[in-house]
Amino acid sequence: DQQVKQNSPSLSVQEGRISILNCDYTNSMFDYFLWYKKYPAEGPTFLISISSIKDKNEDGRFTVFLNKSAKHLSLHIVPSQPGDSAVYFCAASAFTDKLIFGTGTRLQVFP
Amino acid sequence: NAGVTQTPKFQVLKTGQSMTLQCAQDMNHEYMSWYRQDPGMGLRLIHYSVGAGITDQGEVPNGYNVSRSTTEDFPLRLLSAAPSQTSVYFCASSSPLDRARGYTFGSGTRLTVV
């Protein structure tokens, strides 16, 4: 049973436009949601997170939205830059700090 | 500040061989985990630890052993390597006091079992 799902394996966006990456979850006990970015041959790096008591969190060009009733979160990148091209993982945890990851979305930002 | 250090970076094993993937962190984090990354499967949790002497299984623990004798180290042992264990392995650590930042990951070990 996959508790965290990223249904889009890939996304292609033009430079300067908005990138929207989506994530769905099934476990209503999750109370922290995080996004990680991964370049080839490197470990994942933390990007942004949101607590279940909030519905939005911003950090520069990155905004995460949480819809608890729909068990859905999204990451918005505005404006998208070529350096944003990477694999993005959604992750969630339920108090224990054990992180459960989705399968990832490969974002390509083209000029 | 080195963060999370994994060794080796690359390894080729023959089926049936055993080996230990090393992981060390210098951030005094209580929590440590091992993940494997496979194409189309994302990052799957193998084992994790919430402190020295305490370990538990994740989603895909079969064929792997762990122990946590110190806060800094969390080695992953492959008992009898199989081709299905060909993967990229990531070690990670975190503090329960800073859940908003999640885990800090190492740079990974790419393992091939032939």
Side-chain angles (χ1 to χ4, degrees):
Chain A
D1 177 32
Q2 198 170 0
Q3 299 186 64
V4 179
K5 302 176 185 179
Q6 294 177 257
N7 293 319
S8 298
S10 64
L11 176 67
S12 188
V13 172
Q14 189 173 30
E15 181 179 4
R17 307 294 288 264
I18 184 172
S19 296
I20 300 176
L21 294 91
N22 294 303
C23 178
D24 297 297
Y25 62 96
T26 58
N27 188 345
S28 58
M29 297 302 291
F30 286 145
D31 67 331
Y32 252 104
F33 303 89
L34 303 94
W35 285 93
Y36 282 80
K37 178 179 180 179
K38 186 183 181 306
Y39 293 117
E42 296 183 10
T45 56
F46 170 77
L47 190 58
I48 191 169
S49 66
I50 188 167
S51 162
S52 61
I53 63 173
K54 296 185 176 181
D55 55 19
K56 177 182 174 181
N57 189 28
E58 281 183 84
D59 185 1
R61 297 186 296 114
F62 303 92
T63 302
V64 57
F65 296 92
L66 176 62
N67 183 335
K68 288 188 289 295
S69 61
K71 292 190 174 66
H72 176 84
L73 66 156
S74 60
L75 174 68
H76 293 211
I77 306 173
V78 183
S80 300
Q81 300 173 353
D84 296 329
S85 297
V87 177
Y88 289 79
F89 290 99
C90 170
S93 70
F95 307 107
T96 63
D97 212 38
K98 181 175 61 172
L99 272 185
I100 305 299
F101 283 82
T103 53
T105 297
R106 182 177 302 276
L107 173 67
Q108 182 180 9
V109 180
F110 60 92
Chain B
N1 190 342
V4 178
T5 303
Q6 290 184 237
T7 57
K9 292 191 182 302
F10 301 94
Q11 183 71 49
V12 179
L13 287 179
K14 293 183 179 179
T15 297
Q17 286 185 316
S18 63
M19 80 159 294
T20 299
L21 307 186
Q22 301 292 344
C23 176
Q25 54 96 3
D26 61 0
M27 297 172 284
N28 201 31
H29 284 168
E30 294 90 333
Y31 291 6
M32 296 186 75
S33 294
W34 276 100
Y35 291 86
R36 58 179 287 174
Q37 184 191 10
D38 302 292
M41 304 294 288
L43 290 158
R44 292 183 293 170
L45 182 64
I46 305 172
H47 285 286
Y48 68 102
S49 170
V50 298
I54 306 170
T55 63
D56 205 348
Q57 296 181 350
E59 304 167 70
V60 288
N62 293 339
Y64 307 95
N65 271 357
V66 292
S67 60
R68 184 100 178 267
S69 57
T70 67
T71 300
E72 296 77 19
D73 300 300
F74 192 41
L76 178 72
R77 298 182 188 83
L78 279 70
L79 308 173
S80 177
S84 61
Q85 293 179 305
T86 294
S87 187
V88 182
Y89 292 84
F90 291 101
C91 179
S93 73
S94 77
S95 168
L97 301 178
D98 193 10
R99 291 188 64 207
R101 292 200 61 82
Y103 278 89
T104 298
F105 282 82
S107 57
T109 295
R110 183 174 294 274
L111 175 68
T112 302
V113 183
V114 298

